[in-house]
Amino acid sequence: MNPTPRWQIPHHGAHNPSSTRQGTTPGSFALASDVGGPLAFASPDTPGMPAPSEKTAWDFNPAPRGAEQAVTQLEKARLGLVTPEMERVAEREPHLSAEDVRDEVAAGRMILPANRVHLSYKLDPMAIGRASRTKINANLGASPVSSGTDEEVEKLRWAVRWGADTAMDLSTGGDLDACREAILRASEVPIGIVPIYSMIIGRKIEDLTYDVILESLERQAKQGVDYFTIHAGVLREHLPYVEKRLIGIVSRGGSLLAKWMLVHGKQNPMYDLFDDICDIMREYDVSFSLGDGLRPGGLSDATDDAQLAELEVLGELTERAWAKGVQVMIEGPGHVPFDQIEYNMKLERQICHGAPFYVLGPLVTDVFPGYDHITSCIGATAAAYHGASMLCYVTPKEHLGLPKRDDVKQGCIAYKIAAHSADVALGIPGTRDWDDELTKARAALNWEKHFNLAFDSDTARAFHDEDLDVDTDFCAMCGHDWCSVRISKEIVEFMSGKDDAYAWEKPKISEALTAEQREILQKRGVLSPEEVHRLATKTKTTMGADHAKAACHSDYVPDVEAQNLQDEELVRIGA
């Protein structure tokens, strides 16, 4: 009997097949994809949300340059040219053609942060925009009290290993130029900076001059930096709005420029010099990351007059940069209550005409220091679903200190979870294929493929072996008799675990722990050092297994000796 369901699945689901290989449910309940339009991949609007802007970068192209004068990816895209960098992006984003990438760049809805100098090193071009997969950024950088160049280069490599698509060098101590140079030459991912940090090394902020600003920007662009965070949207007239806040200005760049304006009684020098800054950045094809100098630093200050007044100026600056041929993305708020995230994403989409939005989190609660990689990746998932194109990671050390190696890993993984979850929800083609493959491995109880498909294979394997170091047809959470997945496999009508490609022959003792897996279990401190050592050095003789059958076998087989060995092992580990 096949009962007729009394419900209807939202019709949008059939339009965006995030699973392109197989799947029993619709790919996405997001809007139908519209690559080439303002809703490339978009969530349905809650009533009252700001509508997309009707304008694009094409509307701010007053004096088009000829092919011989085109320097930036934006200028070349406007001429209909497909650059090698666009072709590379299409290879990395298989749901897009090179022509799709070109058209999105031309409209200003996508950027390819690729300084021409950095391209001459080892930069692998990538894209940030709503038509592409959601990206994540990792912040690095030496401070006056911690770290140095070698450590930051290693931290860069570590961040990229764990999924960072770009990195920002936010060094505020040591030899900033040398650290930046080392990072750029080592990096295959785009590198961003906040240029004002270098400008005030060895001088007070009030001594900063227009000439120093422009000279410093030129030097850093020549080094190969791919995008600059420029806090040009903080104006003198915005500063009174900050008086109502609980925590004031939390952006370092924003606070430095606010002090400069108060001391000199003048407008923000980054705003006054904006056209000159555009000219420098265009020469090297440095992209703008127009900074949110008045972003909220606590839930109490979110979506306030200061933040929104600055966003309005960022919309104006976006238009001016596009007119100069410079690529633009917009930086967004850091602490926002969950219910306000969609509005913030869609207001930027309107005011900044669809320019990619790059957000820090946002954190959805302020009371969990030490866990802000979690509080913020919750907000980041919502932000990416509702409009953000890149997510700046937050580590467990946020608000507390400079992140160390493991903090970088934890921050990157939290944000890969957020980005991937949003991409699946948006229905970006193929994004759920990975999930479906792991589901099939899990259904087949094929532990080896399960771990190989996991984003962090070492942690998955180590956690499994901490309780039961045998690959059998159950895990230590349920045990044999209570394992629903094992039982489902025995029900003929179910397809669970029936894929031949994932079949496995028999249970087996797992391999000895790798060095990485051993370190994971040592840090957890659940097992004794002796037990961790045993897992790291074990062989098949540990439990007396012979060549035909692993010693820890399901009690579904008639071999009493194998069952007894299994029972003894479970007693030994306290299961």
Side-chain angles (χ1 to χ4, degrees), residues 378-455:
I378 293 170
T381 305
Y385 181 62
H386 290 304
S389 298
M390 186 161 77
L391 310 171
C392 184
Y393 85 167
V394 173
T395 77
K397 286 288 286 291
E398 189 75 16
H399 304 107
L400 304 173
L402 195 70
K404 301 299 188 287
R405 181 183 171 93
D406 192 60
D407 302 314
V408 169
K409 175 183 175 180
Q410 296 304 320
C412 284
I413 289 178
Y415 274 70
K416 288 300 287 188
I417 293 170
H420 180 67
S421 300
D423 288 347
V424 170
L426 288 166
I428 296 179
T431 50
R432 206 186 76 194
D433 289 344
W434 181 14
D435 301 77
D436 289 351
E437 293 303 306
L438 194 142
T439 298
K440 289 191 290 184
R442 186 173 284 156
L445 291 162
N446 187 324
W447 293 103
E448 184 176 357
K449 287 196 174 184
H450 187 166
F451 299 139
N452 288 341
L453 285 163
F455 181 77

Coordinates of all heavy atoms in Angstrom, one line a residue, residues 378-455:
I378 N 26.8 29.9 13.9 CA 25.3 29.8 13.8 C 24.8 31.0 12.9 O 24.0 30.9 12.0 CB 24.7 29.8 15.2 CG1 25.0 28.5 15.9 CG2 23.2 30.0 15.1 CD1 24.7 28.6 17.4
G379 N 25.3 32.2 13.3 CA 24.9 33.4 12.5 C 25.4 33.4 11.1 O 24.8 33.8 10.2
A380 N 26.6 32.8 10.9 CA 27.2 32.8 9.6 C 26.4 31.9 8.7 O 26.3 32.2 7.5 CB 28.7 32.2 9.7
T381 N 25.9 30.8 9.2 CA 25.0 30.0 8.3 C 23.8 30.7 7.8 O 23.5 30.7 6.6 CB 24.6 28.7 9.1 OG1 25.7 28.0 9.6 CG2 23.8 27.8 8.2
A382 N 23.2 31.4 8.7 CA 22.0 32.3 8.3 C 22.4 33.4 7.4 O 21.8 33.7 6.4 CB 21.3 32.8 9.6
A383 N 23.6 34.0 7.6 CA 24.0 35.1 6.8 C 24.3 34.6 5.4 O 23.9 35.2 4.4 CB 25.3 35.7 7.4
A384 N 25.0 33.4 5.2 CA 25.3 32.9 3.9 C 24.0 32.5 3.2 O 23.9 32.7 2.0 CB 26.2 31.7 4.0
Y385 N 23.0 31.9 3.9 CA 21.8 31.6 3.2 C 21.0 32.8 2.8 O 20.4 32.8 1.7 CB 20.9 30.8 4.2 CG 19.6 30.3 3.6 CD1 19.6 29.4 2.6 CD2 18.4 30.7 4.2 CE1 18.4 29.0 2.0 CE2 17.2 30.3 3.7 CZ 17.2 29.4 2.6 OH 16.0 29.0 2.0
H386 N 21.1 33.9 3.5 CA 20.3 35.1 3.2 C 21.1 36.1 2.3 O 20.5 37.1 1.9 CB 19.8 35.7 4.4 CG 18.7 34.9 5.1 ND1 17.6 34.6 4.5 CD2 18.7 34.5 6.4 CE1 16.8 33.9 5.4 NE2 17.5 33.8 6.5
G387 N 22.4 35.9 2.0 CA 23.0 36.8 1.1 C 24.5 37.0 1.2 O 25.0 37.6 0.3
A388 N 25.1 36.6 2.2 CA 26.6 36.8 2.3 C 27.3 35.9 1.3 O 26.9 34.7 1.1 CB 27.1 36.5 3.7
S389 N 28.4 36.4 0.8 CA 29.2 35.6 -0.2 C 30.5 35.1 0.4 O 31.0 34.1 0.0 CB 29.6 36.5 -1.4 OG 28.5 36.9 -2.1
M390 N 31.0 35.7 1.5 CA 32.2 35.2 2.2 C 32.0 35.4 3.7 O 31.5 36.5 4.1 CB 33.5 35.9 1.7 CG 34.7 35.2 2.3 SD 36.3 35.6 1.4 CE 36.6 37.2 1.9
L391 N 32.5 34.5 4.5 CA 32.4 34.5 5.9 C 33.7 34.6 6.5 O 34.6 33.7 6.2 CB 31.7 33.2 6.4 CG 30.4 32.8 5.7 CD1 29.9 31.4 6.1 CD2 29.3 33.8 6.0
C392 N 34.0 35.6 7.4 CA 35.2 35.7 8.1 C 35.2 34.9 9.3 O 34.3 35.1 10.2 CB 35.5 37.1 8.4 SG 37.1 37.4 9.2
Y393 N 36.1 33.9 9.5 CA 36.0 33.0 10.6 C 36.2 33.7 11.9 O 36.7 34.8 12.0 CB 36.9 31.8 10.4 CG 38.4 32.0 10.9 CD1 39.2 30.9 11.0 CD2 38.9 33.2 11.2 CE1 40.5 30.9 11.4 CE2 40.2 33.3 11.7 CZ 41.0 32.2 11.8 OH 42.3 32.3 12.2
V394 N 35.6 33.1 12.9 CA 35.9 33.5 14.3 C 36.4 32.2 15.0 O 35.9 31.1 14.8 CB 34.6 33.9 15.0 CG1 34.8 34.2 16.5 CG2 34.0 35.2 14.3
T395 N 37.5 32.4 15.8 CA 38.1 31.3 16.5 C 37.6 31.2 18.0 O 37.0 32.2 18.5 CB 39.6 31.3 16.5 OG1 40.1 32.3 17.4 CG2 40.1 31.7 15.1
P396 N 37.9 30.2 18.7 CA 37.6 30.1 20.1 C 38.3 31.3 20.9 O 37.9 31.6 22.0 CB 38.1 28.8 20.6 CG 38.0 27.9 19.4 CD 38.4 28.8 18.2
K397 N 39.4 31.8 20.4 CA 40.1 32.9 21.1 C 39.6 34.3 20.8 O 40.1 35.2 21.4 CB 41.6 32.8 20.6 CG 42.4 31.7 21.2 CD 42.7 31.8 22.7 CE 43.8 32.9 22.9 NZ 45.1 32.5 22.5
E398 N 38.5 34.4 20.0 CA 38.0 35.7 19.7 C 37.6 36.4 21.0 O 37.0 35.9 21.9 CB 36.7 35.6 18.8 CG 36.2 36.9 18.3 CD 37.0 37.4 17.1 OE1 37.8 36.6 16.5 OE2 36.9 38.6 16.8
H399 N 38.0 37.7 21.0 CA 37.8 38.6 22.2 C 38.7 38.3 23.4 O 38.7 39.0 24.4 CB 36.3 38.5 22.7 CG 35.3 38.8 21.7 ND1 34.5 37.8 21.2 CD2 34.9 40.0 21.1 CE1 33.7 38.4 20.3 NE2 33.9 39.7 20.2
L400 N 39.5 37.2 23.2 CA 40.4 36.8 24.4 C 41.9 36.8 24.1 O 42.6 37.0 25.0 CB 40.0 35.3 24.8 CG 38.5 35.1 25.1 CD1 38.2 33.6 25.3 CD2 38.1 35.9 26.3
G401 N 42.3 36.7 22.8 CA 43.7 36.6 22.5 C 44.0 36.2 21.1 O 43.0 36.0 20.3
L402 N 45.2 36.2 20.8 CA 45.6 35.8 19.4 C 45.5 34.3 19.2 O 46.0 33.5 20.0 CB 47.1 36.2 19.1 CG 47.5 36.3 17.7 CD1 46.9 37.4 16.9 CD2 49.0 36.4 17.6
P403 N 44.8 33.9 18.2 CA 44.5 32.4 18.0 C 45.8 31.7 17.7 O 46.7 32.1 17.0 CB 43.6 32.4 16.8 CG 43.8 33.6 16.1 CD 44.1 34.7 17.1
K404 N 45.9 30.5 18.3 CA 47.0 29.6 18.0 C 46.6 28.5 17.0 O 45.5 28.6 16.5 CB 47.5 28.9 19.3 CG 47.9 29.9 20.4 CD 49.1 30.7 20.0 CE 49.6 31.6 21.1 NZ 48.8 32.7 21.5
R405 N 47.5 27.6 16.8 CA 47.3 26.6 15.7 C 45.9 25.9 15.8 O 45.2 25.8 14.8 CB 48.4 25.6 15.7 CG 48.4 24.5 14.7 CD 49.6 23.6 14.9 NE 49.6 22.4 14.1 CZ 50.2 22.3 12.9 NH1 50.8 23.3 12.4 NH2 50.1 21.1 12.3
D406 N 45.6 25.3 16.9 CA 44.4 24.6 17.1 C 43.2 25.5 17.0 O 42.1 25.1 16.5 CB 44.3 23.8 18.3 CG 43.2 22.8 18.3 OD1 43.2 21.9 17.4 OD2 42.3 22.9 19.2
D407 N 43.3 26.8 17.5 CA 42.2 27.7 17.3 C 41.9 28.0 15.9 O 40.7 28.1 15.5 CB 42.5 29.0 18.0 CG 42.9 28.8 19.5 OD1 42.1 28.1 20.2 OD2 43.9 29.4 20.0
V408 N 42.9 28.1 15.1 CA 42.7 28.3 13.6 C 41.9 27.2 13.0 O 41.0 27.3 12.2 CB 44.1 28.5 12.9 CG1 43.9 28.5 11.4 CG2 44.7 29.8 13.4
K409 N 42.3 25.9 13.4 CA 41.6 24.8 12.9 C 40.2 24.8 13.3 O 39.3 24.6 12.4 CB 42.3 23.5 13.4 CG 41.6 22.2 12.9 CD 42.2 20.9 13.5 CE 41.4 19.7 13.2 NZ 42.0 18.5 13.7
Q410 N 39.9 25.0 14.5 CA 38.5 25.0 15.0 C 37.7 26.1 14.3 O 36.5 25.9 14.0 CB 38.5 25.2 16.5 CG 39.2 24.1 17.3 CD 38.6 22.7 17.0 OE1 37.4 22.6 16.9 NE2 39.4 21.7 16.9
G411 N 38.3 27.3 14.1 CA 37.6 28.3 13.5 C 37.3 28.0 12.0 O 36.1 28.2 11.5
C412 N 38.3 27.5 11.3 CA 38.1 27.1 9.9 C 37.0 26.0 9.8 O 36.1 26.1 8.9 CB 39.4 26.6 9.3 SG 40.5 27.9 8.9
I413 N 37.0 25.0 10.6 CA 36.1 23.9 10.5 C 34.7 24.4 10.8 O 33.7 24.1 10.1 CB 36.4 22.8 11.4 CG1 37.7 22.1 10.8 CG2 35.3 21.8 11.5 CD1 38.2 20.9 11.7
A414 N 34.5 25.3 11.8 CA 33.2 25.8 12.1 C 32.6 26.6 10.9 O 31.4 26.5 10.6 CB 33.3 26.7 13.4
Y415 N 33.5 27.3 10.3 CA 33.0 28.1 9.1 C 32.8 27.3 7.8 O 32.0 27.7 7.0 CB 33.9 29.3 9.0 CG 33.4 30.4 9.9 CD1 33.5 30.3 11.3 CD2 32.7 31.5 9.4 CE1 33.0 31.2 12.1 CE2 32.2 32.5 10.2 CZ 32.4 32.3 11.6 OH 31.8 33.3 12.5
K416 N 33.6 26.2 7.7 CA 33.3 25.3 6.6 C 31.9 24.7 6.8 O 31.2 24.5 5.8 CB 34.4 24.2 6.5 CG 35.7 24.7 6.0 CD 35.7 25.4 4.6 CE 35.4 24.3 3.5 NZ 35.6 24.9 2.1
I417 N 31.6 24.4 8.0 CA 30.3 23.8 8.3 C 29.2 24.8 7.9 O 28.2 24.5 7.2 CB 30.1 23.5 9.8 CG1 31.1 22.3 10.1 CG2 28.7 23.2 10.1 CD1 31.2 22.0 11.6
A418 N 29.4 26.1 8.3 CA 28.4 27.1 8.0 C 28.3 27.3 6.5 O 27.2 27.4 5.9 CB 28.8 28.5 8.6
A419 N 29.4 27.5 5.8 CA 29.4 27.7 4.3 C 28.8 26.6 3.6 O 27.9 26.8 2.7 CB 30.8 28.0 3.8
H420 N 29.2 25.4 3.9 CA 28.7 24.2 3.2 C 27.2 24.0 3.4 O 26.4 23.7 2.5 CB 29.5 23.0 3.6 CG 29.0 21.7 2.9 ND1 29.1 21.5 1.5 CD2 28.4 20.6 3.3 CE1 28.6 20.3 1.2 NE2 28.1 19.8 2.3
S421 N 26.8 24.2 4.7 CA 25.4 24.1 5.0 C 24.5 25.1 4.2 O 23.4 24.7 3.7 CB 25.2 24.3 6.5 OG 25.9 23.3 7.3
A422 N 25.0 26.3 4.1 CA 24.2 27.3 3.4 C 24.2 27.0 1.9 O 23.2 27.1 1.2 CB 24.9 28.7 3.6
D423 N 25.3 26.5 1.3 CA 25.3 26.1 -0.1 C 24.4 25.0 -0.4 O 23.7 25.0 -1.4 CB 26.8 25.7 -0.5 CG 27.7 26.9 -0.6 OD1 27.2 28.0 -0.5 OD2 28.9 26.7 -0.6
V424 N 24.3 24.0 0.5 CA 23.3 22.9 0.3 C 21.9 23.5 0.3 O 21.0 23.2 -0.5 CB 23.5 21.8 1.3 CG1 22.3 20.8 1.3 CG2 24.8 21.1 1.1
A425 N 21.6 24.4 1.3 CA 20.3 24.9 1.4 C 19.9 25.8 0.2 O 18.7 25.8 -0.2 CB 20.2 25.7 2.7
L426 N 20.9 26.5 -0.3 CA 20.6 27.3 -1.5 C 20.5 26.5 -2.8 O 20.0 27.1 -3.8 CB 21.8 28.3 -1.7 CG 21.9 29.5 -0.6 CD1 23.2 30.2 -0.7 CD2 20.7 30.5 -0.8
G427 N 20.9 25.3 -2.7 CA 20.7 24.4 -3.9 C 21.8 24.7 -5.0 O 21.5 24.5 -6.2
I428 N 23.0 25.1 -4.6 CA 24.1 25.2 -5.5 C 24.4 23.8 -6.1 O 24.7 22.9 -5.3 CB 25.3 25.9 -4.9 CG1 24.9 27.3 -4.5 CG2 26.5 25.9 -5.9 CD1 26.1 28.0 -3.8
P429 N 24.3 23.6 -7.4 CA 24.4 22.2 -7.9 C 25.6 21.5 -7.4 O 26.7 21.9 -7.5 CB 24.4 22.5 -9.4 CG 23.6 23.7 -9.6 CD 24.0 24.6 -8.4
G430 N 25.3 20.2 -7.0 CA 26.4 19.3 -6.6 C 26.9 19.4 -5.2 O 27.6 18.6 -4.8
T431 N 26.4 20.5 -4.5 CA 27.0 20.7 -3.1 C 26.6 19.5 -2.2 O 27.3 19.3 -1.2 CB 26.6 22.0 -2.6 OG1 25.1 22.2 -2.7 CG2 27.3 23.2 -3.3
R432 N 25.4 18.9 -2.4 CA 25.0 17.9 -1.5 C 25.5 16.5 -1.9 O 25.3 15.5 -1.2 CB 23.4 17.8 -1.4 CG 22.9 17.2 -0.1 CD 21.4 17.0 -0.1 NE 21.0 15.9 -0.9 CZ 19.8 15.6 -1.2 NH1 18.8 16.5 -0.9 NH2 19.5 14.5 -1.9
D433 N 26.2 16.4 -3.0 CA 26.7 15.1 -3.5 C 27.6 14.5 -2.4 O 27.6 13.3 -2.1 CB 27.5 15.2 -4.8 CG 26.6 15.5 -6.0 OD1 25.3 15.3 -5.8 OD2 27.1 15.9 -7.0
W434 N 28.5 15.3 -1.8 CA 29.4 14.9 -0.8 C 28.6 14.3 0.4 O 29.0 13.2 0.9 CB 30.2 16.1 -0.4 CG 31.3 15.9 0.6 CD1 31.8 14.7 1.1 CD2 32.0 16.9 1.4 NE1 32.8 14.9 2.1 CE2 32.9 16.2 2.2 CE3 31.9 18.3 1.3 CZ2 33.8 17.0 3.1 CZ3 32.8 19.0 2.2 CH2 33.7 18.3 3.0
D435 N 27.6 15.0 0.8 CA 26.8 14.5 2.0 C 26.1 13.1 1.6 O 26.1 12.2 2.4 CB 25.7 15.5 2.3 CG 26.3 16.8 2.7 OD1 26.7 17.6 1.8 OD2 26.3 17.2 3.9
D436 N 25.6 13.0 0.4 CA 24.9 11.8 0.0 C 25.9 10.6 0.0 O 25.6 9.5 0.3 CB 24.3 12.0 -1.4 CG 23.1 12.9 -1.3 OD1 22.7 13.3 -0.2 OD2 22.6 13.3 -2.4
E437 N 27.2 10.9 -0.5 CA 28.1 9.8 -0.5 C 28.5 9.3 0.9 O 28.6 8.1 1.1 CB 29.4 10.3 -1.3 CG 29.2 10.5 -2.7 CD 28.7 9.3 -3.5 OE1 29.3 8.3 -3.4 OE2 27.6 9.5 -4.2
L438 N 28.6 10.3 1.8 CA 28.9 9.8 3.2 C 27.7 9.1 3.8 O 27.9 8.1 4.5 CB 29.3 11.0 4.0 CG 30.0 10.6 5.4 CD1 31.1 11.6 5.7 CD2 29.0 10.5 6.5
T439 N 26.5 9.5 3.5 CA 25.3 8.8 4.0 C 25.3 7.4 3.5 O 25.0 6.5 4.3 CB 24.1 9.5 3.5 OG1 24.0 10.9 4.0 CG2 22.8 8.8 4.0
K440 N 25.7 7.2 2.2 CA 25.7 5.8 1.7 C 26.8 5.0 2.4 O 26.6 3.8 2.7 CB 26.0 5.8 0.2 CG 24.8 6.3 -0.6 CD 25.0 6.1 -2.1 CE 26.1 6.9 -2.7 NZ 26.2 6.7 -4.2
A441 N 28.0 5.6 2.7 CA 29.0 4.9 3.4 C 28.5 4.5 4.8 O 28.8 3.4 5.4 CB 30.3 5.7 3.5
R442 N 27.8 5.5 5.5 CA 27.3 5.2 6.8 C 26.3 4.1 6.8 O 26.2 3.3 7.7 CB 26.8 6.6 7.4 CG 26.3 6.5 8.8 CD 26.0 7.9 9.3 NE 27.1 8.8 9.5 CZ 27.1 10.1 9.4 NH1 26.0 10.7 9.1 NH2 28.2 10.8 9.7
A443 N 25.4 4.2 5.8 CA 24.3 3.2 5.7 C 24.9 1.8 5.5 O 24.4 0.8 6.0 CB 23.4 3.5 4.6
A444 N 26.0 1.7 4.8 CA 26.7 0.4 4.5 C 27.5 0.0 5.7 O 28.1 -1.1 5.6 CB 27.5 0.5 3.2
L445 N 27.7 0.8 6.7 CA 28.6 0.6 7.8 C 30.0 0.3 7.3 O 30.7 -0.5 7.9 CB 28.1 -0.6 8.7 CG 26.8 -0.3 9.4 CD1 26.1 -1.6 9.9 CD2 27.1 0.6 10.6
N446 N 30.4 1.1 6.3 CA 31.7 1.0 5.7 C 32.5 2.1 6.4 O 32.5 3.3 5.9 CB 31.6 1.2 4.2 CG 33.0 1.0 3.5 OD1 34.0 1.3 4.1 ND2 33.0 0.4 2.3
W447 N 33.2 1.7 7.5 CA 33.9 2.7 8.2 C 35.0 3.4 7.5 O 35.3 4.6 7.6 CB 34.4 2.1 9.5 CG 33.3 1.7 10.4 CD1 32.8 0.4 10.6 CD2 32.5 2.6 11.2 NE1 31.7 0.5 11.5 CE2 31.5 1.7 11.9 CE3 32.4 3.9 11.4 CZ2 30.6 2.3 12.8 CZ3 31.5 4.5 12.3 CH2 30.6 3.6 13.0
E448 N 35.7 2.6 6.7 CA 36.9 3.2 6.0 C 36.4 4.3 5.0 O 37.0 5.4 5.0 CB 37.6 2.1 5.2 CG 38.9 2.6 4.5 CD 39.6 1.5 3.8 OE1 39.2 0.4 3.9 OE2 40.7 1.8 3.2
K449 N 35.4 4.1 4.3 CA 34.9 5.1 3.4 C 34.3 6.3 4.2 O 34.3 7.4 3.8 CB 33.9 4.5 2.4 CG 34.6 3.7 1.3 CD 33.7 3.4 0.1 CE 34.4 2.7 -1.0 NZ 33.6 2.5 -2.2
H450 N 33.6 5.9 5.3 CA 33.0 6.9 6.1 C 34.1 7.9 6.6 O 33.9 9.2 6.4 CB 32.4 6.2 7.4 CG 31.6 7.1 8.3 ND1 30.8 6.5 9.3 CD2 31.5 8.4 8.4 CE1 30.2 7.5 9.9 NE2 30.7 8.7 9.4
F451 N 35.2 7.4 7.0 CA 36.3 8.3 7.5 C 36.9 9.1 6.4 O 37.3 10.2 6.5 CB 37.3 7.5 8.3 CG 36.8 6.8 9.5 CD1 37.1 5.5 9.8 CD2 35.8 7.5 10.3 CE1 36.6 4.9 11.0 CE2 35.3 6.9 11.4 CZ 35.7 5.6 11.8
N452 N 37.1 8.4 5.2 CA 37.8 9.1 4.1 C 36.9 10.2 3.6 O 37.5 11.2 3.0 CB 38.0 8.0 3.0 CG 39.1 7.1 3.3 OD1 40.0 7.3 4.2 ND2 39.2 5.9 2.6
L453 N 35.6 10.1 3.6 CA 34.7 11.1 3.2 C 34.6 12.3 4.2 O 34.1 13.4 3.8 CB 33.4 10.5 2.8 CG 33.3 9.7 1.5 CD1 32.0 8.9 1.4 CD2 33.4 10.7 0.3
A454 N 34.9 12.0 5.4 CA 34.7 13.1 6.4 C 35.7 14.2 6.2 O 36.8 14.0 5.7 CB 35.0 12.5 7.8
F455 N 35.2 15.4 6.5 CA 36.1 16.6 6.2 C 37.4 16.5 7.1 O 38.5 16.8 6.6 CB 35.3 17.9 6.6 CG 36.2 19.1 6.4 CD1 36.4 19.6 5.1 CD2 36.7 19.8 7.5 CE1 37.1 20.8 4.9 CE2 37.5 20.9 7.3 CZ 37.7 21.4 6.0

